Amino acid sequence: MIRTILIILFVICFLILSIPVFLVEWLLGKVNPRAREISSLRIVQWALKVIAWLSGVKLTVIGEENIPKDVPVLYISNHRSYFDIILTYARCPRPTGYVAKKEMLKIPLLSRWMKILHCQFLDRKDIRAGLKTILETIELVKSGVSITIFPEGTRSKGESELDMLPFHEGSFKVATKTGCPIIPIAITGSSAIFEDHFPSVHVVPVTIEYGAPIYTSTLPKEDQKALGQYIQNVIKEMLKAHAG
């Protein structure tokens, strides 16, 4: 429970102390927008690394060399914990936005950072608004920003990582419309940090594996038509390897 309290206190302090930072970042953006992007990214990544350190997570990372450093990518991952975001975003090599649920906009200061970092907010109850969000996300990738999507749409609560929810096919339009590579991510053990024994944070091993880049245009036609199922199978094979 002590770890949970420390994490909560750190998050509150970071958000409050970041209020004057918003002004500095805004001024930097007026002079050099690219510098502001990198600066904001590193500030938030530092905070997320502190949270990970406070949680005591024992992290194993596999295949990080598979992430292209010179082009934007679409990260696709399984999702069982809030820590999936904390652990993966702390490792993004270039400006990256996450597709999050619209409800996150209600959280003061945090939502401000998310907007600065190109996060997109999805209304899961409004199909038309959801389509608009995907179109805006496509334009972001064209501008050079990587995007992370958890295509299950919510956290999976199955008994194991292999019990994934179906992947929403609309999530992959970002790759098919821009030609950017898909980086599949397999995360094992993250729910044991917090969700499995809420509200305590436990010290546990977690594995994150980045798969080889997948270019949709090179896939067989049948896999292109069922891209969600294809990518889910790729992630599932990595998860099986972790279990082994």
Side-chain angles (χ1 to χ4, degrees):
M1 195 63 184
I2 293 177
R3 291 183 183 274
T4 306
I5 295 172
L6 289 174
I7 289 172
I8 292 172
L9 289 175
F10 172 77
V11 171
I12 293 173
C13 289
F14 172 77
L15 292 176
I16 293 174
L17 293 175
S18 67
I19 293 175
V21 177
F22 290 141
L23 176 59
V24 175
E25 292 295 290
W26 179 78
L27 292 172
L28 179 60
K30 292 294 183 180
V31 178
N32 190 332
R34 175 63 178 173
R36 191 202 74 161
E37 277 193 337
I38 299 301
S39 173
S40 298
L41 175 66
R42 300 310 177 209
I43 289 170
V44 172
Q45 286 183 322
W46 170 81
L48 296 179
K49 288 176 182 178
V50 172
I51 293 172
W53 177 75
L54 290 172
S55 74
V57 62
K58 300 176 181 178
L59 186 62
T60 298
V61 180
I62 305 170
E64 202 163 18
E65 69 279 1
N66 287 323
I67 304 174
K69 305 298 190 295
D70 55 343
V71 295
V73 305
L74 172 63
Y75 297 101
I76 293 292
S77 176
N78 64 314
H79 188 32
R80 290 176 61 84
S81 171
Y82 292 117
F83 274 85
D84 296 337
I85 301 165
I86 293 169
L87 297 176
T88 56
Y89 197 81
R91 312 191 71 85
C92 294
R94 58 184 293 123
T96 303
Y98 276 51
V99 174
K101 57 186 179 182
K102 185 181 179 181
E103 289 75 10
M104 297 296 292
L105 285 168
K106 299 177 182 178
I107 304 176
L109 301 180
L110 176 60
S111 60
R112 177 61 183 165
W113 274 117
M114 293 177 72
K115 289 179 181 178
I116 290 174
L117 296 171
H118 304 295
C119 290
Q120 298 294 293
F121 300 92
L122 184 66
D123 187 342
R124 294 176 292 185
K125 298 178 181 179
D126 189 329
I127 296 176
R128 182 174 295 181
L131 177 59
K132 181 181 178 182
T133 299
I134 292 298
L135 293 175
E136 291 172 349
T137 303
I138 289 170
E139 292 305 312
L140 265 181
V141 173
K142 289 180 179 179
S143 72
V145 178
S146 293
I147 291 293
T148 300
I149 296 179
F150 299 107
E152 293 170 274
T154 187
R155 288 179 293 115
S156 171
K157 298 178 176 64
E159 290 187 7
S160 78
E161 280 78 10
L162 296 178
D163 298 322
M164 288 182 278
L165 299 170
F167 280 13
H168 295 293
E169 293 291 339
S171 304
F172 301 91
K173 290 186 181 297
V174 175
T176 57
K177 297 298 185 181
T178 66
C180 75
I182 296 173
I183 302 296
I185 305 176
I187 305 174
T188 297
S190 59
S191 63
I193 302 174
F194 181 63
E195 282 79 5
D196 289 353
H197 30 67
F198 176 86
S200 297
V201 171
H202 286 203
V203 177
V204 298
V206 174
T207 300
I208 298 177
E209 182 172 0
Y210 297 89
I214 297 171
Y215 293 87
T216 59
S217 61
T218 65
L219 296 175
K221 292 296 183 180
E222 58 269 23
D223 290 330
Q224 292 185 34
K225 292 179 181 178
L227 195 52
Q229 185 61 58
Y230 175 81
I231 300 297
Q232 187 175 69
N233 289 338
V234 171
I235 292 174
K236 188 171 289 186
E237 290 304 311
M238 291 192 285
L239 293 171
K240 288 179 180 178
H242 299 176

